[in-house]
Amino acid sequence: MSQILLITISGEDHPGITASITAILAAHDVNILDIGQAVIHATLSMGVLAEVPEEVAPQQVSDAVQRCAQEQGMRVRIAPVSADSYGEWVESQGRARYIITLLARKITADQIARVTQVVSRHQLNIDSINRLSGRIPLGELPALSRACVEFSVRGPLEDSSLFRRDLLEVAGALEVDLAFQQDNMYRRNRRLVAFDMDSTLIEAEVIDELAARAGVGEQVAAITERAMRGEIDFAASFRERLALLRGLDESVLAEIARGLKITEGAEHLISTLRTLGYKTAILSGGFTYFASYLQDRLGMDYVYANELDIEDGKVTGRVSGTIVDGERKAQLLRQLAESEGIDLQQVIAVGDGANDLPMLSTAGLGIAFHAKPLVQQSAEQSISTLGLDAILYLLGFSDRYQQR
């Protein structure tokens, strides 16, 4: 009967270690049941689960590997694995797998400890931990630094809602973001990303900017805030705010458009998504005048927003056509997915306000971005600490695969 050996090797990394060890195993006709390797700060850690044929003495293989490791200046540990233990390990591969993504400006030991305590408390096993962000310099952090660590965990999760709640408590206490997703085929196979515009793609509520120029800023801002918190119906509040803009000169729109500040990470995210072949859309309760400006600047595929009515160079205080409210956003999202031949599970929606919740719940992945408390609590995922390009981490893309 064949025997199984677990070989673990560690030490200073240099070329040829893996080649030398596997050459010895090959000389003894060993089968590789599992293999893994990682390098942290020039230190190699490698594990090999090896099946030694019945006609080969395991001690012979162990001695040869030991000699090779010593010649390479490496430490080695070799332990036998029983057939029963191996069988249990094989059977566990059908267990559900989940991804936890930690997002912050920097990663601390306390963050890792708190997350892994939650994982342990819910009886899940950690299969791997990977840093997706770039290497962090010593000293003062650069402006808008990004840090991300991804945990792959496995096991039966009795109460996913409780697990998610425990993670959110940690995130709130440490002022970080923690995303929790099932690791399925859709995670790396999204094809369409739809964005809200105001306070998502841009760092402003355009209607508030217009109101300030019209001299009704405080009145409109108060209505906007109530609408974004979900306290009043969006369509009704929209008409109420728009009526206050009556008589505003059309030239003001161009001035505001030129001064719009793009949200941190938006340009990098959109350019990366385009490179990867994603379709992108703006679904906004704002105005097409500004959404089209952003479309041209960022290179987005679709724009749906409200058509601001203008007569004789003046804003009339009315809107042309159907108001793009929350339900309309969700409807448009479904239409876009259908026209592109994309399953809704392959769709991402990003927004900050209560009127974004219908499209966030319609998409396979809904992300509340720097959102109001109601939206954070209702959305599947939430990003509050980093820029929009942190979405790439949720998709599993590390910095090394991103062009800047």
Short mmCIF file of all heavy atoms in Angstrom, two decimals, residues 15-74:
data_model
loop_
_atom_site.label_atom_id
_atom_site.label_comp_id
_atom_site.label_asym_id
_atom_site.label_seq_id
_atom_site.Cartn_x
_atom_site.Cartn_y
_atom_site.Cartn_z
N PRO A 15 16.65 30.68 -6.37
CA PRO A 15 16.26 29.83 -7.50
C PRO A 15 16.70 28.39 -7.33
O PRO A 15 17.78 28.11 -6.81
CB PRO A 15 16.96 30.49 -8.70
CG PRO A 15 17.20 31.90 -8.28
CD PRO A 15 17.46 31.84 -6.82
N GLY A 16 15.86 27.47 -7.77
CA GLY A 16 16.24 26.05 -7.84
C GLY A 16 15.74 25.18 -6.72
O GLY A 16 15.88 23.95 -6.80
N ILE A 17 15.15 25.77 -5.66
CA ILE A 17 14.72 24.95 -4.52
C ILE A 17 13.61 23.99 -4.93
O ILE A 17 13.71 22.78 -4.72
CB ILE A 17 14.24 25.85 -3.36
CG1 ILE A 17 15.38 26.73 -2.87
CG2 ILE A 17 13.70 24.99 -2.22
CD1 ILE A 17 14.95 27.78 -1.87
N THR A 18 12.56 24.53 -5.51
CA THR A 18 11.42 23.68 -5.91
C THR A 18 11.85 22.65 -6.95
O THR A 18 11.45 21.48 -6.89
CB THR A 18 10.28 24.55 -6.46
OG1 THR A 18 9.94 25.55 -5.51
CG2 THR A 18 9.05 23.71 -6.76
N ALA A 19 12.68 23.07 -7.89
CA ALA A 19 13.14 22.15 -8.93
C ALA A 19 13.93 20.99 -8.33
O ALA A 19 13.76 19.82 -8.73
CB ALA A 19 14.01 22.90 -9.94
N SER A 20 14.80 21.27 -7.35
CA SER A 20 15.63 20.23 -6.74
C SER A 20 14.78 19.23 -5.95
O SER A 20 14.97 18.01 -6.05
CB SER A 20 16.68 20.86 -5.82
OG SER A 20 17.53 21.73 -6.52
N ILE A 21 13.85 19.76 -5.15
CA ILE A 21 13.02 18.88 -4.32
C ILE A 21 12.12 18.00 -5.19
O ILE A 21 12.02 16.78 -4.99
CB ILE A 21 12.17 19.71 -3.34
CG1 ILE A 21 13.07 20.46 -2.35
CG2 ILE A 21 11.19 18.80 -2.59
CD1 ILE A 21 13.91 19.59 -1.46
N THR A 22 11.47 18.59 -6.17
CA THR A 22 10.56 17.81 -7.00
C THR A 22 11.31 16.83 -7.90
O THR A 22 10.77 15.78 -8.28
CB THR A 22 9.67 18.73 -7.86
OG1 THR A 22 10.49 19.65 -8.59
CG2 THR A 22 8.69 19.51 -6.99
N ALA A 23 12.56 17.14 -8.25
CA ALA A 23 13.36 16.18 -9.03
C ALA A 23 13.62 14.91 -8.22
O ALA A 23 13.59 13.79 -8.77
CB ALA A 23 14.68 16.82 -9.44
N ILE A 24 13.88 15.07 -6.92
CA ILE A 24 14.09 13.89 -6.06
C ILE A 24 12.80 13.08 -5.97
O ILE A 24 12.81 11.85 -6.07
CB ILE A 24 14.54 14.35 -4.66
CG1 ILE A 24 15.96 14.90 -4.74
CG2 ILE A 24 14.45 13.20 -3.66
CD1 ILE A 24 16.43 15.54 -3.46
N LEU A 25 11.68 13.77 -5.80
CA LEU A 25 10.40 13.05 -5.73
C LEU A 25 10.10 12.34 -7.04
O LEU A 25 9.61 11.20 -7.05
CB LEU A 25 9.27 14.03 -5.39
CG LEU A 25 9.39 14.77 -4.04
CD1 LEU A 25 8.22 15.74 -3.86
CD2 LEU A 25 9.44 13.79 -2.88
N ALA A 26 10.44 12.97 -8.15
CA ALA A 26 10.22 12.36 -9.46
C ALA A 26 11.07 11.10 -9.63
O ALA A 26 10.62 10.10 -10.21
CB ALA A 26 10.54 13.36 -10.56
N ALA A 27 12.30 11.14 -9.10
CA ALA A 27 13.19 9.98 -9.21
C ALA A 27 12.65 8.77 -8.46
O ALA A 27 13.03 7.63 -8.76
CB ALA A 27 14.57 10.36 -8.68
N HIS A 28 11.77 9.02 -7.49
CA HIS A 28 11.17 7.93 -6.72
C HIS A 28 9.72 7.65 -7.15
O HIS A 28 8.97 6.99 -6.43
CB HIS A 28 11.21 8.24 -5.23
CG HIS A 28 12.61 8.25 -4.66
ND1 HIS A 28 13.43 9.35 -4.71
CD2 HIS A 28 13.33 7.27 -4.05
CE1 HIS A 28 14.59 9.07 -4.13
NE2 HIS A 28 14.55 7.81 -3.72
N ASP A 29 9.33 8.18 -8.32
CA ASP A 29 7.98 7.96 -8.88
C ASP A 29 6.87 8.40 -7.93
O ASP A 29 5.80 7.77 -7.84
CB ASP A 29 7.80 6.48 -9.26
CG ASP A 29 8.70 6.07 -10.39
OD1 ASP A 29 8.95 6.91 -11.27
OD2 ASP A 29 9.17 4.91 -10.39
N VAL A 30 7.09 9.48 -7.22
CA VAL A 30 6.11 9.98 -6.26
C VAL A 30 4.99 10.73 -6.99
O VAL A 30 5.23 11.45 -7.95
CB VAL A 30 6.81 10.92 -5.25
CG1 VAL A 30 5.79 11.73 -4.45
CG2 VAL A 30 7.70 10.11 -4.31
N ASN A 31 3.75 10.57 -6.51
CA ASN A 31 2.62 11.35 -7.00
C ASN A 31 2.41 12.56 -6.08
O ASN A 31 2.51 12.45 -4.85
CB ASN A 31 1.34 10.52 -7.01
CG ASN A 31 1.39 9.40 -8.03
OD1 ASN A 31 1.96 9.58 -9.11
ND2 ASN A 31 0.83 8.26 -7.69
N ILE A 32 2.13 13.71 -6.67
CA ILE A 32 1.87 14.93 -5.89
C ILE A 32 0.37 15.05 -5.67
O ILE A 32 -0.39 15.26 -6.60
CB ILE A 32 2.41 16.17 -6.61
CG1 ILE A 32 3.89 16.03 -6.91
CG2 ILE A 32 2.13 17.42 -5.77
CD1 ILE A 32 4.77 15.90 -5.69
N LEU A 33 -0.06 14.95 -4.42
CA LEU A 33 -1.47 15.06 -4.07
C LEU A 33 -1.88 16.51 -3.82
O LEU A 33 -3.02 16.88 -4.04
CB LEU A 33 -1.76 14.21 -2.83
CG LEU A 33 -1.43 12.71 -2.97
CD1 LEU A 33 -1.66 12.00 -1.64
CD2 LEU A 33 -2.25 12.07 -4.06
N ASP A 34 -0.94 17.29 -3.34
CA ASP A 34 -1.20 18.72 -3.13
C ASP A 34 0.15 19.43 -3.03
O ASP A 34 1.14 18.83 -2.60
CB ASP A 34 -2.01 18.95 -1.85
CG ASP A 34 -2.60 20.35 -1.76
OD1 ASP A 34 -2.65 21.03 -2.82
OD2 ASP A 34 -3.00 20.77 -0.67
N ILE A 35 0.19 20.68 -3.44
CA ILE A 35 1.42 21.46 -3.35
C ILE A 35 1.06 22.93 -3.23
O ILE A 35 0.10 23.41 -3.85
CB ILE A 35 2.34 21.22 -4.57
CG1 ILE A 35 3.70 21.92 -4.39
CG2 ILE A 35 1.66 21.66 -5.87
CD1 ILE A 35 4.75 21.50 -5.41
N GLY A 36 1.80 23.64 -2.41
CA GLY A 36 1.58 25.07 -2.23
C GLY A 36 2.88 25.75 -1.89
O GLY A 36 3.76 25.15 -1.26
N GLN A 37 3.02 26.99 -2.31
CA GLN A 37 4.26 27.71 -2.07
C GLN A 37 3.97 29.20 -1.94
O GLN A 37 3.14 29.75 -2.67
CB GLN A 37 5.24 27.47 -3.24
CG GLN A 37 6.56 28.20 -3.12
CD GLN A 37 7.53 27.78 -4.23
OE1 GLN A 37 7.74 26.60 -4.48
NE2 GLN A 37 8.11 28.77 -4.90
N ALA A 38 4.65 29.85 -1.01
CA ALA A 38 4.51 31.29 -0.82
C ALA A 38 5.85 31.87 -0.41
O ALA A 38 6.66 31.20 0.23
CB ALA A 38 3.45 31.59 0.25
N VAL A 39 6.06 33.13 -0.79
CA VAL A 39 7.28 33.85 -0.42
C VAL A 39 6.88 35.16 0.24
O VAL A 39 6.15 35.97 -0.35
CB VAL A 39 8.18 34.12 -1.64
CG1 VAL A 39 9.41 34.94 -1.22
CG2 VAL A 39 8.62 32.82 -2.30
N ILE A 40 7.35 35.37 1.48
CA ILE A 40 7.12 36.62 2.19
C ILE A 40 8.49 37.20 2.56
O ILE A 40 9.25 36.55 3.28
CB ILE A 40 6.26 36.42 3.45
CG1 ILE A 40 4.86 35.92 3.06
CG2 ILE A 40 6.15 37.72 4.23
CD1 ILE A 40 3.94 35.69 4.24
N HIS A 41 8.78 38.37 2.03
CA HIS A 41 10.05 39.06 2.29
C HIS A 41 11.24 38.11 2.10
O HIS A 41 12.06 37.91 3.00
CB HIS A 41 10.07 39.66 3.69
CG HIS A 41 11.19 40.64 3.89
ND1 HIS A 41 11.33 41.77 3.13
CD2 HIS A 41 12.24 40.64 4.76
CE1 HIS A 41 12.42 42.43 3.52
NE2 HIS A 41 12.98 41.76 4.50
N ALA A 42 11.33 37.48 0.93
CA ALA A 42 12.44 36.63 0.52
C ALA A 42 12.56 35.35 1.35
O ALA A 42 13.60 34.68 1.32
CB ALA A 42 13.76 37.39 0.54
N THR A 43 11.51 35.01 2.09
CA THR A 43 11.50 33.76 2.84
C THR A 43 10.46 32.82 2.25
O THR A 43 9.28 33.18 2.16
CB THR A 43 11.20 34.01 4.33
OG1 THR A 43 12.22 34.85 4.88
CG2 THR A 43 11.17 32.70 5.10
N LEU A 44 10.92 31.64 1.86
CA LEU A 44 10.06 30.66 1.19
C LEU A 44 9.40 29.72 2.20
O LEU A 44 10.05 29.26 3.15
CB LEU A 44 10.89 29.83 0.20
CG LEU A 44 10.21 28.59 -0.41
CD1 LEU A 44 9.17 29.02 -1.43
CD2 LEU A 44 11.24 27.67 -1.04
N SER A 45 8.13 29.44 1.98
CA SER A 45 7.43 28.38 2.70
C SER A 45 6.76 27.51 1.65
O SER A 45 5.98 28.02 0.84
CB SER A 45 6.39 28.96 3.66
OG SER A 45 6.98 29.75 4.65
N MET A 46 7.08 26.21 1.65
CA MET A 46 6.52 25.30 0.65
C MET A 46 6.03 24.03 1.33
O MET A 46 6.67 23.52 2.26
CB MET A 46 7.57 24.94 -0.40
CG MET A 46 7.02 24.03 -1.52
SD MET A 46 8.20 23.77 -2.87
CE MET A 46 9.39 22.70 -2.07
N GLY A 47 4.89 23.55 0.87
CA GLY A 47 4.35 22.29 1.38
C GLY A 47 4.03 21.35 0.23
O GLY A 47 3.52 21.79 -0.81
N VAL A 48 4.35 20.09 0.40
CA VAL A 48 4.07 19.07 -0.61
C VAL A 48 3.44 17.87 0.07
O VAL A 48 3.98 17.34 1.05
CB VAL A 48 5.35 18.62 -1.35
CG1 VAL A 48 5.00 17.57 -2.41
CG2 VAL A 48 6.06 19.80 -1.98
N LEU A 49 2.28 17.45 -0.42
CA LEU A 49 1.65 16.23 0.05
C LEU A 49 1.95 15.16 -0.99
O LEU A 49 1.48 15.24 -2.13
CB LEU A 49 0.14 16.44 0.20
CG LEU A 49 -0.64 15.42 1.04
CD1 LEU A 49 -0.10 15.36 2.46
CD2 LEU A 49 -2.12 15.75 1.05
N ALA A 50 2.81 14.21 -0.63
CA ALA A 50 3.37 13.26 -1.59
C ALA A 50 2.91 11.83 -1.32
O ALA A 50 2.93 11.38 -0.17
CB ALA A 50 4.89 13.32 -1.55
N GLU A 51 2.50 11.14 -2.38
CA GLU A 51 2.13 9.73 -2.28
C GLU A 51 3.32 8.88 -2.76
O GLU A 51 3.69 8.93 -3.94
CB GLU A 51 0.91 9.43 -3.14
CG GLU A 51 0.47 7.97 -3.04
CD GLU A 51 -0.65 7.64 -4.03
OE1 GLU A 51 -0.82 8.38 -5.01
OE2 GLU A 51 -1.34 6.62 -3.81
N VAL A 52 3.89 8.13 -1.84
CA VAL A 52 5.06 7.29 -2.15
C VAL A 52 4.57 5.91 -2.58
O VAL A 52 3.80 5.27 -1.86
CB VAL A 52 5.98 7.17 -0.92
CG1 VAL A 52 7.20 6.32 -1.24
CG2 VAL A 52 6.40 8.55 -0.43
N PRO A 53 5.00 5.43 -3.75
CA PRO A 53 4.55 4.10 -4.22
C PRO A 53 4.88 2.99 -3.24
O PRO A 53 5.84 3.08 -2.46
CB PRO A 53 5.32 3.93 -5.53
CG PRO A 53 5.71 5.30 -5.95
CD PRO A 53 5.92 6.06 -4.69
N GLU A 54 4.10 1.95 -3.31
CA GLU A 54 4.24 0.83 -2.38
C GLU A 54 5.63 0.22 -2.43
O GLU A 54 6.19 -0.21 -1.41
CB GLU A 54 3.19 -0.24 -2.71
CG GLU A 54 3.16 -1.41 -1.75
CD GLU A 54 2.04 -2.38 -2.06
OE1 GLU A 54 1.26 -2.10 -2.99
OE2 GLU A 54 1.94 -3.42 -1.37
N GLU A 55 6.24 0.16 -3.63
CA GLU A 55 7.55 -0.49 -3.78
C GLU A 55 8.71 0.40 -3.35
O GLU A 55 9.88 -0.05 -3.36
CB GLU A 55 7.76 -0.91 -5.23
CG GLU A 55 7.77 0.22 -6.25
CD GLU A 55 6.37 0.59 -6.74
OE1 GLU A 55 5.38 0.17 -6.10
OE2 GLU A 55 6.29 1.31 -7.76
N VAL A 56 8.45 1.64 -2.94
CA VAL A 56 9.51 2.54 -2.52
C VAL A 56 9.42 2.76 -1.01
O VAL A 56 8.33 3.01 -0.47
CB VAL A 56 9.39 3.91 -3.25
CG1 VAL A 56 10.46 4.88 -2.75
CG2 VAL A 56 9.52 3.71 -4.75
N ALA A 57 10.55 2.70 -0.34
CA ALA A 57 10.57 2.91 1.11
C ALA A 57 10.42 4.39 1.42
O ALA A 57 11.23 5.20 0.93
CB ALA A 57 11.88 2.38 1.69
N PRO A 58 9.45 4.76 2.24
CA PRO A 58 9.26 6.18 2.57
C PRO A 58 10.51 6.81 3.20
O PRO A 58 10.80 7.98 2.96
CB PRO A 58 8.09 6.16 3.56
CG PRO A 58 7.33 4.91 3.23
CD PRO A 58 8.39 3.92 2.82
N GLN A 59 11.24 6.02 4.00
CA GLN A 59 12.42 6.56 4.64
C GLN A 59 13.48 6.95 3.61
O GLN A 59 14.20 7.93 3.78
CB GLN A 59 13.01 5.53 5.62
CG GLN A 59 14.10 6.12 6.53
CD GLN A 59 13.58 7.26 7.38
OE1 GLN A 59 12.53 7.15 8.02
NE2 GLN A 59 14.30 8.38 7.39
N GLN A 60 13.52 6.19 2.53
CA GLN A 60 14.47 6.50 1.46
C GLN A 60 14.16 7.86 0.84
O GLN A 60 15.06 8.66 0.57
CB GLN A 60 14.41 5.39 0.39
CG GLN A 60 15.41 5.54 -0.73
CD GLN A 60 15.28 4.42 -1.75
OE1 GLN A 60 14.52 3.46 -1.55
NE2 GLN A 60 16.03 4.52 -2.84
N VAL A 61 12.87 8.12 0.62
CA VAL A 61 12.46 9.42 0.08
C VAL A 61 12.76 10.53 1.08
O VAL A 61 13.29 11.59 0.73
CB VAL A 61 10.96 9.41 -0.28
CG1 VAL A 61 10.51 10.77 -0.74
CG2 VAL A 61 10.67 8.36 -1.33
N SER A 62 12.42 10.28 2.35
CA SER A 62 12.65 11.30 3.39
C SER A 62 14.12 11.66 3.50
O SER A 62 14.47 12.85 3.58
CB SER A 62 12.15 10.77 4.75
OG SER A 62 10.76 10.57 4.74
N ASP A 63 14.99 10.65 3.49
CA ASP A 63 16.44 10.91 3.62
C ASP A 63 16.94 11.74 2.45
O ASP A 63 17.74 12.68 2.63
CB ASP A 63 17.21 9.58 3.71
CG ASP A 63 16.95 8.83 5.01
OD1 ASP A 63 16.43 9.46 5.95
OD2 ASP A 63 17.26 7.63 5.07
N ALA A 64 16.48 11.41 1.25
CA ALA A 64 16.94 12.14 0.06
C ALA A 64 16.48 13.60 0.10
O ALA A 64 17.23 14.52 -0.24
CB ALA A 64 16.42 11.45 -1.19
N VAL A 65 15.23 13.82 0.52
CA VAL A 65 14.72 15.18 0.62
C VAL A 65 15.46 15.95 1.71
O VAL A 65 15.80 17.13 1.53
CB VAL A 65 13.20 15.16 0.90
CG1 VAL A 65 12.70 16.57 1.23
CG2 VAL A 65 12.44 14.61 -0.30
N GLN A 66 15.73 15.29 2.84
CA GLN A 66 16.47 15.94 3.93
C GLN A 66 17.85 16.40 3.46
O GLN A 66 18.26 17.53 3.72
CB GLN A 66 16.63 14.96 5.10
CG GLN A 66 15.36 14.65 5.87
CD GLN A 66 15.04 15.67 6.94
OE1 GLN A 66 15.69 16.70 7.03
NE2 GLN A 66 14.01 15.39 7.73
N ARG A 67 18.56 15.54 2.75
CA ARG A 67 19.89 15.89 2.27
C ARG A 67 19.83 17.07 1.30
O ARG A 67 20.64 18.00 1.37
CB ARG A 67 20.55 14.68 1.60
CG ARG A 67 21.04 13.60 2.55
CD ARG A 67 21.94 12.61 1.83
NE ARG A 67 21.25 11.94 0.73
CZ ARG A 67 20.56 10.81 0.87
NH1 ARG A 67 20.46 10.22 2.06
NH2 ARG A 67 19.97 10.25 -0.18
N CYS A 68 18.88 17.02 0.39
CA CYS A 68 18.73 18.10 -0.60
C CYS A 68 18.42 19.43 0.08
O CYS A 68 19.01 20.47 -0.27
CB CYS A 68 17.64 17.73 -1.60
SG CYS A 68 17.33 19.01 -2.85
N ALA A 69 17.51 19.41 1.06
CA ALA A 69 17.14 20.64 1.76
C ALA A 69 18.33 21.23 2.51
O ALA A 69 18.55 22.45 2.48
CB ALA A 69 15.99 20.36 2.73
N GLN A 70 19.12 20.37 3.15
CA GLN A 70 20.30 20.85 3.87
C GLN A 70 21.31 21.47 2.92
O GLN A 70 21.91 22.50 3.21
CB GLN A 70 20.93 19.70 4.65
CG GLN A 70 20.09 19.23 5.83
CD GLN A 70 20.63 17.99 6.50
OE1 GLN A 70 21.68 17.45 6.09
NE2 GLN A 70 19.94 17.49 7.51
N GLU A 71 21.51 20.86 1.75
CA GLU A 71 22.43 21.40 0.76
C GLU A 71 21.97 22.77 0.26
O GLU A 71 22.79 23.63 -0.10
CB GLU A 71 22.55 20.43 -0.42
CG GLU A 71 23.26 19.12 -0.07
CD GLU A 71 23.16 18.10 -1.20
OE1 GLU A 71 22.52 18.42 -2.24
OE2 GLU A 71 23.69 16.99 -1.05
N GLN A 72 20.62 22.95 0.25
CA GLN A 72 20.05 24.22 -0.21
C GLN A 72 19.94 25.26 0.92
O GLN A 72 19.49 26.38 0.69
CB GLN A 72 18.65 23.98 -0.80
CG GLN A 72 18.64 23.12 -2.05
CD GLN A 72 18.94 23.92 -3.30
OE1 GLN A 72 18.99 25.14 -3.26
NE2 GLN A 72 19.14 23.24 -4.41
N GLY A 73 20.36 24.86 2.13
CA GLY A 73 20.27 25.77 3.27
C GLY A 73 18.86 25.98 3.78
O GLY A 73 18.55 27.02 4.35
N MET A 74 18.01 24.97 3.59
CA MET A 74 16.61 25.07 3.98
C MET A 74 16.30 24.18 5.17
O MET A 74 16.98 23.17 5.42
CB MET A 74 15.70 24.69 2.80
CG MET A 74 15.99 25.42 1.51
SD MET A 74 15.69 27.20 1.62
CE MET A 74 13.90 27.24 1.65
#
